[in-house]
Structures are given as C-alpha cells and as structure tokens.
Amino acid sequence: MSSIGFIPENYFGKLSPKDIFGTDGPFEVDLGCGDGGFLLQMAGHYPDRRFLGIERLLGRVRGVCSKAAQLGIENVRVCRIESRYFLEWLMEPKCISRLHYLCPDPWPKERHHKNRLVQQDFLPILSRALTDDGEFLFKTDHEEYFQWVLEHVEQSGLFEQIEWPEDAFYYPKTDFQLQWESMGKPIYRARFIKKKIA
C-alpha cells in the first residue's frame, strides 16, 4: 500500500492530525469513504486542507490509495479501521474540523437499528473529536434514518442544525447519491455545528 494508506503505530494511543500528515491545518474526516470518489474530489478542490478517509474494507482502501497516487493528490490519507473505534480511541480531542458521514447503510429493519453509528452514546464521542466550531455533515436517501439522526442529535443537546444551501460551498456527490438520484430518490441532508459549552 502506498504512503497514502495510514496505519497507526499504536492502536491504543491518541493521534493528532500532524501525526497523520506531518503538517498542521484544517482536518476533515470522511467516515466510510467507500471508493473514495467524494474524498478525492474534496482533497483535490481544497489543497490547503487535509482529508482522512475511514474504511473497513481492505480492497476499497487499496483502491482509494491507488487512485490518489495516480492523481498526485498528497493531502489525503486512508485508514482501515472501524469508524467508532477511530473516533473514540484514536483521535485526540478537538482536532476534526468537519466530519462527513454520507449515504451509510441505514439498517432499515428495526432489529438492526442497534447497528447504526448514530446513537445517543456516539454523539458525545463525535462532539469531543470536533474542534470548537467543528461541523458534522450527513446525507442519506433513507427518510426514516434521516429522522432518526435529527432526533438523536437534538436529544443530545450537543449540536445545532444550521442551513445547508445547495450552493453554500463545493461539495461533490457520492456515487451512491448519483445512483439514487438517477432512480428518482430524494436525498436528505443535514449540517450540524458543535455547540459551544459555557
């Protein structure tokens, strides 16, 4: 795997963005980056930011690393690890500028809802990892999961939902989003900012 693939030296110690990239600057995370389409477009468009993709499947990680190397994109890394473990145990507090969670598996059956990443005990972990003005951006084609996320975030009291106009900033569509839109499915999206604690 190329140097774009990041493997922590210690899975029980805290990491800073500088540990991953060797430089300081805005740091964004794409949870479940898949084939890396969104991740690489963002990294190419924002060369002054650093982007880390989190993905469990080795084949996908290798694919993203290969594409990034071919494109000559240097401000991106990919780590093969479980999303919640990464946020809870590896990242130092207040280091992520924006966290992107796009088109995840909605686990639609009620008995599988426990597998959803966004739960009440997850949101404090996310809040702790974000910078003081950090953002959480979420998209799904599944209306019930969208409402689930809205309700859980509101109940947590840790985030404030803010407007997200289509033209607010450059934000490419994932392959899943393009596929679902071609099928006529609506895409639900929400943008949250971490609340300041007095």
Side-chain angles (χ1 to χ4, degrees), residues 91-185:
M91 293 313 301
E92 68 177 17
K94 298 185 178 183
C95 68
I96 299 174
S97 306
R98 291 202 299 183
L99 185 129
H100 311 275
Y101 190 45
L102 309 174
C103 305
D105 186 337
W107 295 101
K109 294 181 180 179
E110 188 170 353
R111 67 177 183 273
H112 293 154
H113 286 182
K114 63 182 183 296
N115 296 324
R116 291 174 170 176
L117 181 64
V118 177
Q119 307 280 351
Q120 280 306 315
D121 62 349
F122 168 76
L123 292 165
I125 295 167
L126 172 58
S127 176
R128 185 172 65 245
L130 291 174
T131 59
D132 286 338
D133 57 350
E135 295 185 9
F136 169 41
L137 297 98
F138 172 70
K139 283 187 179 183
T140 181
D141 73 316
H142 194 273
E143 185 176 9
E144 188 273 329
Y145 189 25
F146 181 69
Q147 293 300 327
W148 167 286
V149 169
L150 292 183
E151 291 169 8
H152 279 67
V153 170
E154 182 178 3
Q155 290 169 14
S156 78
L158 297 170
F159 300 88
E160 175 186 352
Q161 187 173 358
I162 58 177
E163 291 186 0
W164 190 1
E166 281 281 354
D167 57 353
F169 41 77
Y170 176 79
Y171 207 79
K173 296 178 180 181
T174 67
D175 287 346
F176 277 126
Q177 180 174 348
L178 291 170
Q179 176 185 338
W180 290 330
E181 286 182 338
S182 72
M183 297 166 62
K185 290 185 175 183

Side-chain angles (χ1 to χ4, degrees), residues 183-196:
M183 297 166 62
K185 290 185 175 183
I187 299 296
Y188 305 94
R189 61 194 205 157
R191 179 184 176 198
F192 305 97
I193 190 167
K194 178 178 171 178
K195 283 187 177 179
K196 291 179 173 60

Side-chain angles (χ1 to χ4, degrees), residues 41-53:
Q41 288 182 75
M42 288 287 281
H45 189 83
Y46 297 108
D48 58 324
R49 304 181 189 177
R50 295 159 302 161
F51 292 87
L52 177 66

